Amino acid sequence: MNNTYNTKQKKLISEFFEGNTEKQFTCDEISEALKIKGTPVGKTTVYRYVEKLVNEGKIRKITGGISKSALYQYIDEDMNCNSHMHLKCLKCGEFFHLGCDFLNSVNDHIYEHHRFRVDNSKSVLYGLCEKCAE
Amino acid sequence: MNNTYNTKQKKLISEFFEGNTEKQFTCDEISEALKIKGTPVGKTTVYRYVEKLVNEGKIRKITGGISKSALYQYIDEDMNCNSHMHLKCLKCGEFFHLGCDFLNSVNDHIYEHHRFRVDNSKSVLYGLCEKCAE
DNA sequence: TTGCGTGCAAAGGTTTTGCATGGCA
DNA sequence: TGCCATGCAAAACCTTTGCACGCAA
């Protein structure tokens, strides 16, 4: 079986995400941040555990933006992120949750009329936020 | 100034996209396909020109799926791709255009109520298509 | 004690860059 | 002719893998 042991490293990575729910990080940044905190976790371990967290739906992997490396972000269960859409500004990188009734109905519409199950934990809409559009 | 010369290579790359508007390719695949056709274009040239076409909004760059490398696809002006959303199945990779009145109103809603300008040439929703969801 | 987890080093793969040559205008 | 474009080779990156050692249960 996989990942049956609770280790210090896994706890540190999870806690790092939980303490930074609105930010997004590369694996390298996570490893560096933990090293600076005095609780270093090797980059390889970060890559491996982060992949597992993505598969479990606990964090979001973001690849579409400006960053060359993949970014990872905690999925806060209290925010109900799986039922709303998300935006990311192509210029400043800011990330927005779109919790509103109209948009929550988009996925239902797509399923009912187009027979496609959108996964909000894997989808991000890109464009320009108000500030960056001037 | 940049790219002021019309070369055989640029023409071949553009024509390749125009002749395969519903498919998506990696840079390597484009270079290989042109080589097989007897009109080889170096991989470096493909990377460089494809980047320019993306910046000009002529082709779409797709990074979120299963493929490790970036995929590129022609944006057919006749299909009005900038006004509708797109889906890509995480399992089979199939790509869908979502042309319908309800969904065309989504971007307007996001702009009016959330002050964000979604760019449909840079955004793809991921999930499972009907077949792959069983 | 057993076997999963960790992390270094190395490999693998994609994309970018340097540079000499080639080709457009 | 002047300058941009091409493409090889190499570099630069990001991510994954192999392996010996460490640690949880």
Side-chain angles (χ1 to χ4, degrees):
Chain A
M1 200 175 283
N2 273 338
N3 281 292
T4 54
Y5 291 2
N6 296 320
T7 65
K8 194 182 49 165
Q9 288 89 342
K10 290 180 189 172
K11 193 152 176 279
L12 286 164
I13 294 169
S14 291
E15 285 172 355
F16 181 79
F17 278 118
E18 286 158 16
N20 292 282
T21 58
E22 286 304 310
K23 291 190 197 148
Q24 305 169 351
F25 306 92
T26 64
C27 286
D28 196 62
E29 286 167 350
I30 295 166
S31 183
E32 283 304 309
L34 291 172
K35 186 194 288 178
I36 290 168
K37 274 191 186 169
T39 52
V41 176
K43 208 184 289 185
T44 307
T45 301
V46 175
Y47 271 104
R48 282 194 271 232
Y49 190 49
V50 140
E51 186 193 5
K52 180 159 182 294
L53 291 172
V54 169
N55 291 336
E56 288 174 350
K58 301 234 177 74
I59 63 174
R60 182 195 331 276
K61 181 179 185 177
I62 297 173
T63 52
I66 314 120
S67 167
K68 185 170 178 171
S69 340
L71 295 172
Y72 299 88
Q73 177 180 24
Y74 189 66
I75 296 178
D76 192 338
E77 288 192 12
D78 296 339
M79 289 207 58
N80 223 21
C81 278
N82 289 320
S83 70
H84 61 241
M85 308 178 82
H86 300 88
L87 306 172
K88 189 169 169 66
C89 179
L90 286 166
K91 203 164 170 187
C92 70
E94 197 165 354
F95 184 82
F96 303 90
H97 299 263
L98 275 184
C100 93
D101 291 341
F102 175 78
L103 292 168
N104 288 354
S105 70
V106 169
N107 279 16
D108 292 338
H109 169 94
I110 292 176
Y111 183 59
E112 279 162 27
H113 292 76
H114 308 275
R115 295 281 128 196
F116 191 98
R117 267 259 166 263
V118 172
D119 183 344
N120 280 322
S121 79
K122 301 243 162 55
S123 306
V124 175
L125 297 174
Y126 292 92
L128 289 179
C129 74
E130 193 173 10
K131 282 184 206 154
C132 291
E134 277 122 327
Chain B
M1 202 174 283
N2 272 340
N3 281 293
T4 54
Y5 292 0
N6 296 320
T7 65
K8 194 181 48 162
Q9 287 88 342
K10 290 180 190 172
K11 194 154 175 279
L12 287 164
I13 295 168
S14 291
E15 285 171 357
F16 181 80
F17 277 118
E18 287 158 17
N20 293 281
T21 59
E22 285 304 311
K23 290 188 196 149
Q24 305 169 351
F25 305 92
T26 65
C27 286
D28 196 61
E29 287 167 349
I30 296 167
S31 183
E32 284 303 309
L34 292 172
K35 185 195 285 177
I36 291 167
K37 274 192 185 169
T39 51
V41 175
K43 207 184 292 186
T44 307
T45 302
V46 174
Y47 271 105
R48 281 194 271 233
Y49 190 49
V50 140
E51 186 193 5
K52 181 161 180 293
L53 290 172
V54 170
N55 290 337
E56 289 174 349
K58 302 234 177 75
I59 63 175
R60 182 195 330 277
K61 181 179 186 177
I62 296 173
T63 52
I66 315 121
S67 167
K68 185 169 178 171
S69 339
L71 295 172
Y72 299 88
Q73 177 180 23
Y74 187 66
I75 296 177
D76 193 339
E77 289 193 11
D78 296 339
M79 289 207 56
N80 224 21
C81 279
N82 289 320
S83 70
H84 61 241
M85 307 178 83
H86 300 88
L87 305 173
K88 189 169 170 66
C89 179
L90 286 167
K91 203 163 169 188
C92 68
E94 197 165 354
F95 184 82
F96 303 91
H97 299 264
L98 275 184
C100 95
D101 290 342
F102 174 77
L103 291 167
N104 288 354
S105 71
V106 170
N107 279 17
D108 292 339
H109 169 94
I110 292 176
Y111 183 59
E112 278 162 28
H113 292 77
H114 308 275
R115 295 281 128 197
F116 190 99
R117 269 257 166 263
V118 172
D119 182 345
N120 280 322
S121 79
K122 302 243 161 56
S123 306
V124 175
L125 296 174
Y126 293 92
L128 288 178
C129 73
E130 193 173 9
K131 282 183 206 155
C132 291
E134 278 122 325

